[in-house]
């Protein structure tokens, strides 16, 4: 077990216009499950590969347990990597795949056997140990890849999208298995995904990257409740938050004709443009004619069984091509299923509004 510290870690690829990883600082305590999340190309894999020693560091440092890893070879870092492709040897059995790194490191045969048996027990792979990867399902291969990392009993696990080859149902169950396993083993883990649901459900903390730069790191709740900018606000949360530009006037921001009172500091910025963010659960369906309400023309209803999401556009803001930037997403009870084209009435919960600068996208509200 170990602490991991990224100290302004930077990676610039030759020919790249901007650093792929740009002065990233992250302090990961012993035993933490930290998820790196962000859109494709934001530098997640490169950050992880720098930690594993598979990618050089052009500026800054990475420390494991306080020791600068500069010049330390990947195999001497005590970091076990689980790749998206699993990278299993096709001509070796599951047991041989799991034992490979230990055998290579000249660990005694009896101990190798013991560690492989223990990992197989934890991962429920005992009856598959003699099979080659070609005769295993996707989920079993994924577990062998995990087993290969576990047997090494490393200081740090690095996992790069290890669930992306699994179907949706298996992904959900494997998600909780990995999170549970990490909790039991207590091994510091850095996990890369582009899937914000995976990030929010698995990580103790989540670090959001954009264009190689760290935007915010915090618990899932912190990111959801207090996103530092519009990027994090719209990246975290599914369905996404509704972001609307609004003018500040007399202490309120007007969103689709609805007055959102602002706190004093913000109200002082009269005449300024802000972006107001309201999550689906911050809108409530009401009867027609209710005070401070918005009439929404329903464009789509997602009935998920236990709940529904209604996507609509404020009446008057519809566009002929059917694409409007002013779409509002409303969370509702499963019993409420309006027809497409119907008009529903909603009011926002002003106290749950997130307010950002229209100029910089940075958060302005403190609440
Ligand atoms: P994805 O989710 O698509 O895997 P990512 O967030 O993991 O993306 P990286 O793979 O870390 O992103 O890539 C970050 C940036 O660095 C991208 O712009 C990518 O094109 C670039 N990049 C990655 N590897 C190399 C390389 N070997 N040479 C040049 N540029 C690279």
């Amino acid at each position: 077990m170990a602490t991991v510290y990224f100290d302004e870690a930077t990676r610039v690829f030759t020919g790249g216009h901007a650093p792929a990883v740009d002065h990233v600082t992250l302090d990961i305590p012993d035993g933490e499950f930290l998820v790196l999340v962000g859109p494709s190309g934001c530098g997640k894999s490169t950050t992880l590969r720098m930690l594993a020693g598979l990618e050089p560091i052009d500026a800054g440092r990475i420390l494991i347990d306080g020791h600068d890893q500069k010049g330390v070879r990947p195999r001497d870092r005590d970091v076990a990597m689980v790749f998206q492709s699993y990278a299993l040897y096709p001509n070796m059995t599951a047991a041989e795949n799991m034992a490979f790194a230990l055998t290579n490191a000249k660990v005694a045969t009896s101990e190798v056997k013991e560690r492989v048996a223990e990992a197989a027990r934890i991962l429920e792979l005992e009856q598959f140990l003699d099979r080659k990867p070609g005769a295993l399902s996707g989920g079993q291969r994924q577990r062998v890849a995990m087993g290969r990392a576990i047997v090494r009993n490393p200081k740090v696990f690095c996992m790069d999208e290890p669930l992306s080859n699994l179907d949706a149902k298996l992904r959900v169950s494997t998600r909780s298995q990995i999170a549970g396993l990490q909790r039991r083993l207590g091994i510091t883990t850095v996990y890369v995904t582009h899937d914000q649901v995976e990030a929010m459900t698995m990580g103790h903390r989540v670090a959001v990257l954009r264009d190689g730069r760290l935007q915010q790191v915090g618990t899932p709740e912190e990111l959801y409740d207090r996103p530092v900018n519009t990027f994090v606000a719209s990246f975290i949360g599914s369905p996404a938050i509704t972001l609307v530009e609004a003018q500040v006037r007399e202490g309120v921001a007007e969103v689709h004709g609805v007055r959102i009172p602002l706190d004093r500091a913000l109200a002082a910025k009269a005449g300024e443009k802000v972006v107001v963010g309201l999550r689906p659960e911050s809108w409530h369906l009401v009867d027609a004619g209710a005070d401070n309400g918005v009439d929404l023309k329903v464009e789509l209803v997602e009935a998920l069984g236990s709940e529904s999401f209604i996507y609509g556009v404020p009446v008057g803001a519809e566009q002929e091509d059917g694409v409007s930037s002013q779409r509002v997403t409303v969370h509702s009870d499963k019993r409420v299923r309006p027809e497409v084209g119907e008009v529903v009435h909603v009011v926002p919960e002003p106290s749950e509004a997130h307010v950002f600068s229209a100029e910089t996208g940075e958060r302005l509200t403190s609440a």
Side-chain angles (χ1 to χ4, degrees):
M1 293 204 285
T3 59
V4 172
Y5 186 53
F6 287 84
D7 180 13
E8 305 263 331
T10 300
R11 173 76 179 120
V12 188
F13 287 109
T14 36
H17 302 297
V21 177
D22 196 354
H23 294 85
V24 165
T25 294
L26 268 174
D27 195 354
I28 308 170
D30 184 22
E32 182 168 76
F33 194 131
L34 181 105
V35 180
L36 284 176
V37 72
S40 181
C42 71
K44 307 177 292 289
S45 296
T46 307
T47 307
L48 194 73
R49 290 168 57 81
M50 286 158 82
L51 171 59
L54 303 173
E55 202 69 69
I57 301 165
D58 295 314
R61 305 178 301 164
I62 294 180
L63 312 182
I64 297 179
D65 257 350
H67 299 297
D68 192 342
Q69 297 300 299
K70 193 177 170 72
V72 181
R73 290 177 305 179
R75 68 173 123 140
D76 297 328
R77 288 195 183 195
D78 213 355
V79 168
M81 183 107 179
V82 180
F83 296 96
Q84 175 176 353
S85 61
Y86 312 145
L88 300 177
Y89 298 107
N91 54 343
M92 291 185 193
T93 63
E96 287 163 350
N97 263 289
M98 280 157 66
F100 187 74
L102 299 181
T103 313
N104 248 5
K106 311 242 178 320
V107 175
T109 313
S110 58
E111 192 180 338
V112 173
K113 272 197 169 155
E114 218 171 275
R115 288 212 223 164
V116 169
E118 172 65 4
R121 191 189 55 74
I122 294 173
L123 295 161
E124 295 175 18
L125 279 172
E126 282 136 317
Q127 72 263 46
F128 306 112
L129 283 176
D130 294 331
R131 288 208 204 159
K132 291 188 177 160
L136 295 172
S137 72
Q140 290 157 353
R141 270 181 235 162
Q142 199 279 335
R143 300 212 303 277
V144 174
M146 287 292 296
R148 204 169 42 174
I150 290 174
V151 292
R152 293 178 49 192
N153 192 22
K155 280 187 168 171
V156 182
F157 279 141
C158 285
M159 302 190 192
D160 195 353
E161 308 240 9
L163 305 184
S164 54
N165 289 333
L166 305 181
D167 65 49
K169 201 166 166 210
L170 197 54
R171 217 161 39 216
V172 173
S173 58
T174 312
R175 201 157 81 188
S176 53
Q177 275 168 7
I178 292 183
L181 190 64
Q182 194 275 341
R183 253 195 318 275
R184 260 186 295 149
L185 299 173
I187 295 176
T188 312
T189 300
V190 184
Y191 184 105
V192 160
T193 180
H194 63 271
D195 180 342
Q196 62 93 23
V197 177
E198 216 167 283
M200 297 290 277
T201 51
M202 294 178 83
H204 294 134
R205 284 192 309 156
V206 178
V208 183
L209 282 176
R210 180 196 197 184
D211 297 337
R213 282 191 290 271
L214 182 64
Q215 304 291 301
Q216 184 170 8
V217 56
T219 62
E221 295 72 29
E222 280 164 356
L223 296 191
Y224 192 82
D225 294 339
R226 292 187 43 77
V228 295
N229 56 30
T230 47
F231 177 79
V232 176
S234 50
F235 193 77
I236 299 292
S238 176
I241 194 168
T242 300
L243 293 171
V244 184
E245 212 170 85
Q247 193 99 29
V248 177
R249 213 176 295 133
E250 292 165 12
V252 296
E254 215 173 88
V255 176
H256 299 318
V258 175
R259 294 158 63 84
I260 309 272
L262 301 177
D263 68 29
R264 263 202 212 153
L266 280 178
K269 300 178 191 268
E272 213 174 281
K273 277 212 172 114
V274 294
V275 172
V276 176
L278 284 155
R279 295 208 181 272
E281 66 277 15
S282 299
W283 294 94
H284 305 295
L285 287 161
V286 289
D287 291 333
D291 244 14
N292 216 13
V294 185
D295 295 339
L296 280 189
K297 186 158 175 205
V298 176
E299 284 191 330
L300 175 73
V301 179
E302 269 178 3
L304 301 177
S306 59
E307 58 188 348
S308 298
F309 290 98
I310 300 165
Y311 300 83
V313 174
V315 172
E318 310 103 313
Q319 287 181 1
E320 273 176 22
D321 58 5
V323 181
S324 172
S325 58
Q326 305 202 27
R327 209 186 220 197
V328 172
T329 309
V330 181
H331 177 254
S332 88
D333 198 80
K334 64 176 176 183
R335 283 160 302 195
V336 184
R337 288 190 195 172
E339 296 293 322
V340 170
E342 203 180 307
V343 173
V344 295
H345 314 282
V346 293
V347 290
E349 183 62 57
S351 63
E352 292 174 10
H354 303 265
V355 185
F356 305 95
S357 158
E359 203 179 315
T360 64
E362 298 298 313
R363 182 181 190 84
L364 296 173
T365 26
S366 51

